[in-house]
Amino acid sequence: MNAPDAERLVLGIETSCDETAAAVVRGGRTVLSNVIASQHDLHSEYRGVVPEIASRAHAERVLPVVRRALADGGVALRDVRAVAVGNRPGLIGSLLVGVGAAKGLAWALGVPVIGVDHVQAHLVAGCIGPAGAEPGPVRWPALGLVVSGGHTSMYVCDSSTRAARIGATIDDAVGEAYDKVATILGLPFPGGPELDRLAQTGRAHRPGFPLARIAPDSLDFSFSGLKTAALYTFRGVPESPQARARREARGEPEHGPTMNAADVAATFQEAAVSAVVLKVQRALDRRPDCRVLLVGGGVSANSLLRQRLLAIGEARGVEVRLPRMEYCLDNAAMVAALGHAILAERNWRGDEWSMTASPSTAFCAGPAGAGAP
Ligand code: KG4
Ligand code: ZN
Protein backbone atom coordinates (compact mmCIF):
# COMPACT_ATOMS: atom_id res chain seq x y z
CA MET A 1 0.00 0.00 0.00
CA ASN A 2 3.04 2.26 -0.03
CA ALA A 3 3.31 2.94 -3.76
CA PRO A 4 3.22 6.68 -4.59
CA ASP A 5 -0.10 7.90 -5.99
CA ALA A 6 1.28 8.07 -9.53
CA GLU A 7 2.09 4.35 -9.48
CA ARG A 8 -1.02 2.97 -7.82
CA LEU A 9 -3.17 0.62 -9.87
CA VAL A 10 -6.93 0.94 -9.53
CA LEU A 11 -9.28 -1.67 -10.92
CA GLY A 12 -12.50 -0.09 -12.20
CA ILE A 13 -15.81 -1.90 -12.66
CA GLU A 14 -18.83 -0.47 -14.50
CA THR A 15 -22.23 -2.18 -14.82
CA SER A 16 -24.73 0.68 -14.58
CA CYS A 17 -26.68 -0.05 -17.77
CA ASP A 18 -25.96 -2.45 -20.63
CA GLU A 19 -22.18 -2.54 -20.82
CA THR A 20 -20.18 -4.81 -18.52
CA ALA A 21 -16.80 -3.13 -18.24
CA ALA A 22 -13.55 -3.43 -16.32
CA ALA A 23 -10.30 -1.49 -16.60
CA VAL A 24 -6.97 -1.05 -14.88
CA VAL A 25 -5.71 2.51 -14.57
CA ARG A 26 -2.31 3.57 -13.19
CA GLY A 27 -1.89 6.82 -11.31
CA GLY A 28 -5.44 7.94 -12.15
CA ARG A 29 -4.59 8.69 -15.80
CA THR A 30 -2.73 5.88 -17.59
CA VAL A 31 -5.16 3.28 -18.92
CA LEU A 32 -3.46 -0.12 -18.93
CA SER A 33 -6.58 -1.95 -20.10
CA ASN A 34 -10.18 -1.11 -20.95
CA VAL A 35 -12.52 -4.04 -21.59
CA ILE A 36 -16.16 -3.44 -22.53
CA ALA A 37 -18.63 -6.28 -23.12
CA SER A 38 -21.66 -4.73 -24.75
CA GLN A 39 -25.10 -6.31 -24.44
CA HIS A 40 -26.60 -4.57 -27.47
CA ASP A 41 -27.41 -7.87 -29.18
CA LEU A 42 -29.46 -8.98 -26.15
CA HIS A 43 -31.63 -5.85 -26.08
CA SER A 44 -31.96 -4.90 -29.74
CA GLU A 45 -35.17 -6.84 -30.37
CA TYR A 46 -36.83 -4.80 -27.56
CA ARG A 47 -35.41 -1.48 -28.88
CA GLY A 48 -34.31 -0.56 -25.38
CA VAL A 49 -32.51 -2.01 -22.37
CA VAL A 50 -34.50 -4.65 -20.46
CA PRO A 51 -33.33 -4.38 -16.83
CA GLU A 52 -33.77 -8.04 -15.90
CA ILE A 53 -31.85 -9.25 -18.95
CA ALA A 54 -29.12 -6.68 -18.26
CA SER A 55 -28.57 -7.80 -14.63
CA ARG A 56 -28.35 -11.46 -15.57
CA ALA A 57 -25.86 -10.74 -18.34
CA HIS A 58 -23.73 -8.62 -15.96
CA ALA A 59 -23.69 -11.49 -13.44
CA GLU A 60 -22.41 -13.89 -16.11
CA ARG A 61 -19.85 -11.51 -17.53
CA VAL A 62 -18.45 -9.37 -14.75
CA LEU A 63 -15.70 -11.67 -13.47
CA PRO A 64 -14.57 -12.86 -16.94
CA VAL A 65 -14.39 -9.19 -17.96
CA VAL A 66 -12.30 -8.35 -14.87
CA ARG A 67 -9.99 -11.28 -15.60
CA ARG A 68 -9.59 -10.07 -19.17
CA ALA A 69 -8.82 -6.52 -18.02
CA LEU A 70 -6.07 -7.80 -15.71
CA ALA A 71 -4.62 -9.97 -18.47
CA ASP A 72 -4.75 -7.17 -21.07
CA GLY A 73 -3.01 -4.81 -18.66
CA GLY A 74 -0.38 -7.40 -17.73
CA VAL A 75 -1.42 -6.89 -14.11
CA ALA A 76 -1.60 -9.49 -11.33
CA LEU A 77 -4.64 -9.19 -9.06
CA ARG A 78 -2.34 -8.82 -6.03
CA ASP A 79 -0.91 -5.59 -7.52
CA VAL A 80 -4.31 -3.86 -7.51
CA ARG A 81 -4.31 -1.16 -4.80
CA ALA A 82 -8.04 -0.29 -4.81
CA VAL A 83 -11.27 -1.24 -6.54
CA ALA A 84 -13.57 1.50 -7.86
CA VAL A 85 -17.10 0.76 -8.99
CA GLY A 86 -19.83 2.88 -10.54
CA ASN A 87 -22.52 2.53 -7.86
CA ARG A 88 -24.94 5.31 -8.97
CA PRO A 89 -27.02 6.25 -10.97
CA GLY A 90 -28.31 3.43 -13.17
CA LEU A 91 -30.42 0.28 -13.21
CA ILE A 92 -30.41 -0.96 -9.65
CA GLY A 93 -30.11 -4.67 -10.47
CA SER A 94 -27.23 -3.98 -12.84
CA LEU A 95 -25.41 -1.70 -10.41
CA LEU A 96 -25.70 -4.27 -7.62
CA VAL A 97 -23.85 -6.86 -9.70
CA GLY A 98 -20.86 -4.51 -10.11
CA VAL A 99 -20.97 -3.43 -6.47
CA GLY A 100 -21.04 -7.06 -5.28
CA ALA A 101 -18.12 -8.01 -7.51
CA ALA A 102 -16.08 -4.95 -6.46
CA LYS A 103 -16.66 -5.53 -2.76
CA GLY A 104 -15.82 -9.22 -3.02
CA LEU A 105 -12.55 -8.52 -4.84
CA ALA A 106 -11.54 -5.66 -2.53
CA TRP A 107 -12.34 -7.70 0.57
CA ALA A 108 -10.32 -10.67 -0.66
CA LEU A 109 -7.37 -8.42 -1.56
CA GLY A 110 -7.54 -6.34 1.61
CA VAL A 111 -7.69 -3.07 -0.38
CA PRO A 112 -10.18 -0.17 -0.27
CA VAL A 113 -13.37 -0.19 -2.34
CA ILE A 114 -14.92 3.05 -3.54
CA GLY A 115 -18.32 3.65 -5.12
CA VAL A 116 -18.27 6.48 -7.67
CA ASP A 117 -20.92 8.46 -9.49
CA HIS A 118 -21.24 7.45 -13.14
CA VAL A 119 -22.13 10.95 -14.36
CA GLN A 120 -19.17 12.46 -12.53
CA ALA A 121 -16.93 9.75 -13.99
CA HIS A 122 -17.88 10.83 -17.54
CA LEU A 123 -16.27 14.20 -16.73
CA VAL A 124 -12.82 12.65 -16.31
CA ALA A 125 -12.97 10.67 -19.59
CA GLY A 126 -11.03 13.41 -21.39
CA CYS A 127 -8.23 13.28 -18.81
CA ILE A 128 -7.11 9.67 -19.37
CA GLY A 129 -5.23 7.84 -22.10
CA PRO A 130 -3.14 4.77 -22.85
CA ALA A 131 0.53 4.75 -21.72
CA GLY A 132 2.44 7.44 -23.58
CA ALA A 133 -0.74 9.21 -24.77
CA GLU A 134 -2.14 10.55 -21.50
CA PRO A 135 -3.50 14.11 -21.71
CA GLY A 136 -1.68 16.60 -19.48
CA PRO A 137 -3.01 18.02 -16.21
CA VAL A 138 -6.15 20.18 -16.38
CA ARG A 139 -6.03 23.90 -15.64
CA TRP A 140 -8.89 24.39 -13.19
CA PRO A 141 -11.56 25.65 -13.09
CA ALA A 142 -13.00 23.88 -16.11
CA LEU A 143 -16.42 23.84 -17.68
CA GLY A 144 -17.83 20.28 -17.75
CA LEU A 145 -20.36 18.95 -20.25
CA VAL A 146 -21.97 15.50 -19.92
CA VAL A 147 -24.01 14.39 -22.93
CA SER A 148 -25.25 10.82 -22.56
CA GLY A 149 -28.30 8.61 -22.88
CA GLY A 150 -29.48 9.46 -19.38
CA HIS A 151 -28.00 12.91 -18.70
CA THR A 152 -27.32 16.25 -20.33
CA SER A 153 -25.75 18.69 -17.90
CA MET A 154 -23.08 21.34 -17.49
CA TYR A 155 -20.83 21.94 -14.51
CA VAL A 156 -18.16 24.26 -13.29
CA CYS A 157 -15.45 21.93 -12.00
CA ASP A 158 -12.82 23.03 -9.49
CA SER A 159 -11.08 19.66 -9.66
CA SER A 160 -11.94 16.16 -10.87
CA THR A 161 -13.77 15.59 -7.58
CA ARG A 162 -15.46 18.95 -7.01
CA ALA A 163 -18.09 20.49 -9.27
CA ALA A 164 -21.24 22.60 -9.27
CA ARG A 165 -24.02 22.01 -11.77
CA ILE A 166 -24.98 25.08 -13.77
CA GLY A 167 -27.46 23.58 -16.26
CA ALA A 168 -29.34 20.37 -17.04
CA THR A 169 -32.03 19.04 -19.32
CA ILE A 170 -35.57 19.69 -18.24
CA ASP A 171 -36.92 16.71 -20.23
CA ASP A 172 -35.08 14.18 -22.42
CA ALA A 173 -31.33 13.69 -22.39
CA VAL A 174 -29.77 14.41 -25.78
CA GLY A 175 -28.80 10.73 -26.26
CA GLU A 176 -32.34 9.69 -25.41
CA ALA A 177 -33.64 12.08 -28.10
CA TYR A 178 -31.16 10.58 -30.59
CA ASP A 179 -32.34 7.08 -29.73
CA LYS A 180 -36.04 7.99 -30.00
CA VAL A 181 -35.65 9.79 -33.32
CA ALA A 182 -33.61 6.82 -34.58
CA THR A 183 -36.54 4.56 -33.68
CA ILE A 184 -38.95 6.87 -35.56
CA LEU A 185 -36.66 6.54 -38.58
CA GLY A 186 -36.56 2.72 -38.21
CA LEU A 187 -32.82 2.56 -37.44
CA PRO A 188 -31.36 -0.33 -35.42
CA PHE A 189 -30.81 -0.02 -31.63
CA PRO A 190 -28.91 1.78 -30.15
CA GLY A 191 -29.81 4.50 -32.58
CA GLY A 192 -27.47 7.40 -31.72
CA PRO A 193 -24.47 6.24 -33.73
CA GLU A 194 -26.72 5.04 -36.60
CA LEU A 195 -28.47 8.41 -36.77
CA ASP A 196 -25.09 10.16 -36.74
CA ARG A 197 -24.02 8.07 -39.76
CA LEU A 198 -27.31 8.59 -41.63
CA ALA A 199 -27.20 12.35 -40.99
CA GLN A 200 -23.93 12.54 -42.90
CA THR A 201 -25.74 11.36 -46.05
CA GLY A 202 -28.64 13.84 -45.68
CA ARG A 203 -29.19 17.57 -46.03
CA ALA A 204 -30.18 19.69 -43.03
CA HIS A 205 -33.23 21.72 -44.12
CA ARG A 206 -33.44 25.43 -43.27
CA PRO A 207 -34.78 26.94 -41.08
CA GLY A 208 -34.68 23.49 -39.47
CA PHE A 209 -36.30 22.17 -36.31
CA PRO A 210 -37.08 24.83 -33.71
CA LEU A 211 -34.74 25.03 -30.70
CA ALA A 212 -36.43 25.18 -27.31
CA ARG A 213 -36.46 28.68 -25.81
CA ILE A 214 -36.50 28.13 -22.07
CA ALA A 215 -35.42 31.55 -20.81
CA PRO A 216 -33.08 34.05 -22.47
CA ASP A 217 -30.23 33.41 -20.05
CA SER A 218 -30.93 29.80 -19.06
CA LEU A 219 -28.23 27.15 -19.23
CA ASP A 220 -30.83 24.35 -19.16
CA PHE A 221 -31.57 22.12 -22.14
CA SER A 222 -34.76 20.72 -23.68
CA PHE A 223 -34.84 18.13 -26.45
CA SER A 224 -38.34 16.67 -26.40
CA GLY A 225 -39.69 19.17 -28.98
CA LEU A 226 -37.08 18.04 -31.51
CA LYS A 227 -38.42 14.52 -31.25
CA THR A 228 -41.94 15.71 -32.10
CA ALA A 229 -40.63 17.83 -34.99
CA ALA A 230 -38.81 14.78 -36.39
CA LEU A 231 -41.92 12.63 -36.03
CA TYR A 232 -44.20 15.09 -37.83
CA THR A 233 -41.80 15.78 -40.68
CA PHE A 234 -41.15 12.09 -41.25
CA ARG A 235 -44.64 10.69 -40.74
CA GLY A 236 -46.86 13.73 -41.29
CA VAL A 237 -48.91 15.72 -38.78
CA PRO A 238 -51.58 13.56 -37.08
CA GLU A 239 -55.16 14.84 -37.40
CA SER A 240 -58.40 14.19 -35.55
CA PRO A 241 -61.40 13.27 -37.76
CA GLN A 242 -62.89 16.74 -37.01
CA ALA A 243 -59.72 18.56 -38.01
CA ARG A 244 -59.51 16.48 -41.15
CA ALA A 245 -63.12 17.34 -42.05
CA ARG A 246 -62.45 21.08 -41.50
CA ARG A 247 -59.28 20.99 -43.59
CA GLU A 248 -61.01 19.12 -46.40
CA ALA A 249 -63.87 21.62 -46.29
CA ARG A 250 -61.29 24.39 -46.79
CA GLY A 251 -59.82 22.41 -49.68
CA GLU A 252 -56.36 22.30 -48.08
CA PRO A 253 -53.99 19.36 -48.68
CA GLU A 254 -52.97 16.90 -45.95
CA HIS A 255 -49.83 17.69 -43.88
CA GLY A 256 -47.99 14.55 -44.95
CA PRO A 257 -44.31 13.65 -44.59
CA THR A 258 -42.06 16.46 -45.78
CA MET A 259 -38.57 14.97 -45.53
CA ASN A 260 -36.86 11.66 -46.19
CA ALA A 261 -35.07 9.78 -43.39
CA ALA A 262 -31.57 11.06 -44.18
CA ASP A 263 -32.75 14.69 -44.25
CA VAL A 264 -34.68 14.25 -40.99
CA ALA A 265 -31.51 12.78 -39.45
CA ALA A 266 -29.38 15.68 -40.71
CA THR A 267 -31.94 18.33 -39.65
CA PHE A 268 -32.35 16.76 -36.21
CA GLN A 269 -28.59 16.41 -35.72
CA GLU A 270 -28.05 20.04 -36.70
CA ALA A 271 -30.68 21.18 -34.18
CA ALA A 272 -29.59 18.90 -31.31
CA VAL A 273 -25.92 19.82 -31.68
CA SER A 274 -26.72 23.53 -32.08
CA ALA A 275 -28.77 23.42 -28.87
CA VAL A 276 -25.84 21.95 -26.94
CA VAL A 277 -23.32 24.31 -28.50
CA LEU A 278 -25.47 27.38 -27.81
CA LYS A 279 -25.54 26.61 -24.08
CA VAL A 280 -21.83 25.81 -23.97
CA GLN A 281 -21.10 29.20 -25.58
CA ARG A 282 -23.37 30.90 -23.08
CA ALA A 283 -21.67 29.15 -20.16
CA LEU A 284 -18.21 30.09 -21.46
CA ASP A 285 -19.36 33.72 -21.79
CA ARG A 286 -20.49 33.63 -18.20
CA ARG A 287 -17.40 31.89 -16.87
CA PRO A 288 -14.40 33.35 -18.72
CA ASP A 289 -12.17 31.91 -15.99
CA CYS A 290 -12.86 28.41 -17.40
CA ARG A 291 -10.16 27.88 -20.03
CA VAL A 292 -10.83 24.14 -20.40
CA LEU A 293 -13.97 22.31 -21.54
CA LEU A 294 -14.26 18.73 -20.28
CA VAL A 295 -16.68 16.66 -22.36
CA GLY A 296 -18.01 13.17 -21.65
CA GLY A 297 -20.87 10.72 -22.23
CA GLY A 298 -21.92 8.64 -25.23
CA VAL A 299 -22.96 11.61 -27.37
CA SER A 300 -19.42 13.01 -27.12
CA ALA A 301 -18.71 10.39 -29.82
CA ASN A 302 -20.96 12.35 -32.19
CA SER A 303 -19.13 13.57 -35.28
CA LEU A 304 -20.85 16.95 -35.60
CA LEU A 305 -20.72 17.75 -31.87
CA ARG A 306 -16.98 16.99 -31.75
CA GLN A 307 -16.38 19.20 -34.78
CA ARG A 308 -18.43 22.13 -33.40
CA LEU A 309 -16.93 21.97 -29.90
CA LEU A 310 -13.40 21.94 -31.31
CA ALA A 311 -14.29 24.97 -33.43
CA ILE A 312 -15.55 26.84 -30.35
CA GLY A 313 -12.36 25.98 -28.51
CA GLU A 314 -10.24 27.20 -31.39
CA ALA A 315 -12.16 30.48 -31.68
CA ARG A 316 -12.03 31.20 -27.95
CA GLY A 317 -8.64 29.79 -27.04
CA VAL A 318 -10.33 27.23 -24.78
CA GLU A 319 -8.82 23.75 -24.52
CA VAL A 320 -11.50 21.19 -25.46
CA ARG A 321 -10.95 17.80 -23.81
CA LEU A 322 -12.87 15.38 -26.01
CA PRO A 323 -12.48 11.81 -24.78
CA ARG A 324 -10.85 9.29 -27.09
CA MET A 325 -13.64 7.29 -28.75
CA GLU A 326 -13.16 4.30 -26.42
CA TYR A 327 -13.85 6.47 -23.37
CA CYS A 328 -16.98 8.23 -24.72
CA LEU A 329 -19.42 5.38 -24.13
CA ASP A 330 -19.78 3.71 -20.76
CA ASN A 331 -16.44 2.30 -19.66
CA ALA A 332 -14.61 1.40 -16.46
CA ALA A 333 -11.42 3.37 -17.13
CA MET A 334 -13.21 6.62 -16.24
CA VAL A 335 -14.56 4.93 -13.08
CA ALA A 336 -11.07 3.81 -12.02
CA ALA A 337 -9.66 7.29 -12.74
CA LEU A 338 -12.30 9.06 -10.65
CA GLY A 339 -11.94 6.44 -7.89
CA HIS A 340 -8.20 7.17 -7.80
CA ALA A 341 -8.77 10.93 -7.49
CA ILE A 342 -11.27 10.53 -4.64
CA LEU A 343 -9.13 7.99 -2.78
CA ALA A 344 -5.99 10.13 -3.14
CA GLU A 345 -7.92 13.02 -1.53
CA ARG A 346 -9.06 10.76 1.32
CA ASN A 347 -5.63 9.34 1.96
CA TRP A 348 -6.77 6.02 0.42
CA ARG A 349 -9.53 5.45 2.91
CA GLY A 350 -12.27 3.63 1.04
CA ASP A 351 -16.01 3.39 1.59
CA GLU A 352 -17.56 1.36 4.37
CA TRP A 353 -18.28 -2.28 3.47
CA SER A 354 -21.96 -1.37 3.70
CA MET A 355 -21.56 0.80 0.54
CA THR A 356 -24.34 -0.04 -1.89
CA ALA A 357 -25.96 0.98 -5.17
CA SER A 358 -28.43 3.79 -5.82
CA PRO A 359 -30.58 4.30 -8.94
CA SER A 360 -30.31 8.09 -8.71
CA THR A 361 -27.47 10.57 -8.65
CA ALA A 362 -26.87 13.14 -5.94
CA PHE A 363 -23.97 14.54 -7.97
CA CYS A 364 -24.21 18.32 -7.88
CA ALA A 365 -27.92 18.49 -7.34
CA GLY A 366 -27.30 21.45 -5.01
CA PRO A 367 -24.74 24.25 -4.57
CA ALA A 368 -21.03 24.12 -5.42
CA GLY A 369 -19.35 20.95 -4.26
CA ALA A 370 -22.58 19.49 -2.89
CA GLY A 371 -22.28 16.35 -4.97
CA ALA A 372 -18.57 15.92 -4.46
CA PRO A 373 -17.62 13.15 -2.10
O1 KG4 B 1 -22.74 7.45 -21.82
P1 KG4 B 1 -23.54 6.38 -22.46
O2 KG4 B 1 -22.78 5.17 -22.99
O3 KG4 B 1 -24.63 5.83 -21.50
C1 KG4 B 1 -25.27 6.63 -20.54
O4 KG4 B 1 -24.64 6.93 -19.51
O5 KG4 B 1 -26.41 7.02 -20.86
O6 KG4 B 1 -24.37 7.06 -23.63
C2 KG4 B 1 -25.19 6.31 -24.47
C3 KG4 B 1 -25.90 7.26 -25.42
C4 KG4 B 1 -26.99 6.57 -26.23
O7 KG4 B 1 -28.14 7.38 -26.18
C5 KG4 B 1 -26.37 6.53 -27.63
O8 KG4 B 1 -27.34 6.50 -28.66
C6 KG4 B 1 -25.58 7.83 -27.64
O9 KG4 B 1 -24.97 7.84 -26.35
N1 KG4 B 1 -24.56 7.86 -28.70
C7 KG4 B 1 -24.55 8.76 -29.70
C8 KG4 B 1 -23.44 8.46 -30.53
N2 KG4 B 1 -22.80 7.40 -29.97
C9 KG4 B 1 -23.50 7.04 -28.86
N3 KG4 B 1 -25.40 9.77 -29.98
C10 KG4 B 1 -25.14 10.53 -31.07
N4 KG4 B 1 -24.09 10.29 -31.90
C11 KG4 B 1 -23.23 9.29 -31.67
N5 KG4 B 1 -22.20 9.08 -32.49
ZN1 ZN C 1 -22.82 6.82 -19.24
Side-chain angles (χ1 to χ4, degrees):
M1 190 55 90
N2 294 326
D5 273 7
E7 293 303 320
R8 290 191 199 217
L9 300 180
V10 175
L11 170 67
I13 297 179
E14 155 62 37
T15 61
S16 65
C17 190
D18 61 342
E19 332 277 358
T20 315
V24 181
V25 174
R26 187 176 61 217
R29 54 195 285 264
T30 307
V31 181
L32 303 185
S33 63
N34 182 37
V35 178
I36 304 173
S38 163
Q39 303 177 5
H40 292 163
D41 51 331
L42 300 180
H43 302 284
S44 62
E45 70 174 288
Y46 307 100
R47 308 194 73 85
V49 178
V50 182
E52 180 64 22
I53 294 175
S55 322
R56 284 168 184 270
H58 285 307
E60 283 166 14
R61 297 169 186 201
V62 67
L63 290 180
V65 163
V66 166
R67 181 174 281 177
R68 174 74 183 281
L70 293 167
D72 283 5
V75 170
L77 194 51
R78 66 174 177 279
D79 294 330
V80 166
R81 289 288 170 261
V83 183
V85 59
N87 73 336
R88 62 195 189 275
L91 302 172
I92 191 70
S94 292
L95 290 165
L96 283 169
V97 175
V99 167
K103 284 210 255 184
L105 285 165
W107 178 278
L109 291 169
V111 300
V113 67
I114 180 104
V116 307
D117 188 289
H118 177 93
V119 181
Q120 190 178 8
H122 273 306
L123 285 174
V124 301
C127 306
I128 56 178
E134 304 91 337
V138 174
R139 283 171 299 154
W140 307 103
L143 186 72
L145 170 70
V146 175
V147 277
S148 73
H151 297 269
T152 303
S153 338
M154 279 194 299
Y155 306 86
V156 170
C157 310
D158 292 327
S159 72
S160 48
T161 62
R162 296 192 67 79
R165 194 172 71 187
I166 55 170
T169 183
I170 58 167
D171 42 51
D172 292 349
V174 61
E176 189 182 353
Y178 262 91
D179 293 339
K180 287 178 177 162
V181 172
T183 301
I184 292 170
L185 300 180
L187 299 174
F189 170 85
E194 297 283 339
L195 199 157
D196 186 5
R197 267 190 290 277
L198 181 63
Q200 290 168 45
T201 69
R203 184 175 62 86
H205 288 218
R206 305 276 166 198
F209 295 155
L211 300 193
R213 308 237 176 269
I214 300 172
D217 58 347
S218 169
L219 294 176
D220 287 338
F221 303 90
S222 165
F223 296 100
S224 65
L226 293 182
K227 201 174 51 191
T228 314
L231 179 68
Y232 289 179
T233 25
F234 188 60
R235 297 252 178 89
V237 182
E239 248 179 353
S240 66
Q242 296 84 343
R244 170 183 288 261
R246 282 198 299 274
R247 177 179 54 72
E248 285 174 351
R250 291 195 299 269
E252 289 171 8
E254 203 180 341
H255 298 292
T258 50
M259 284 188 210
N260 64 30
D263 286 4
V264 172
T267 309
F268 167 80
Q269 171 136 296
E270 177 64 37
V273 168
S274 300
V276 173
V277 164
L278 176 79
K279 300 300 165 82
V280 168
Q281 300 256 39
R282 201 173 273 175
L284 287 171
D285 286 344
R286 207 171 291 176
R287 292 297 304 247
D289 52 329
C290 294
R291 308 308 302 154
V292 176
L293 173 65
L294 300 172
V295 189
V299 184
S300 60
N302 184 265
S303 57
L304 187 65
L305 183 64
R306 291 175 84 89
Q307 204 178 306
R308 294 271 166 89
L309 291 177
L310 286 174
I312 293 183
E314 180 108 340
R316 292 174 171 255
V318 167
E319 183 194 355
V320 180
R321 291 281 183 116
L322 291 171
R324 295 166 71 96
M325 284 307 216
E326 62 268 37
Y327 313 136
C328 289
L329 291 168
D330 289 349
N331 67 87
M334 64 184 193
V335 168
L338 177 59
H340 183 110
I342 298 170
L343 284 166
E345 247 178 31
R346 292 187 188 177
N347 206 16
W348 294 83
R349 190 176 45 77
D351 284 336
E352 299 295 330
W353 292 108
S354 56
M355 179 269 288
T356 190
S358 163
S360 54
T361 178
F363 176 51
C364 292

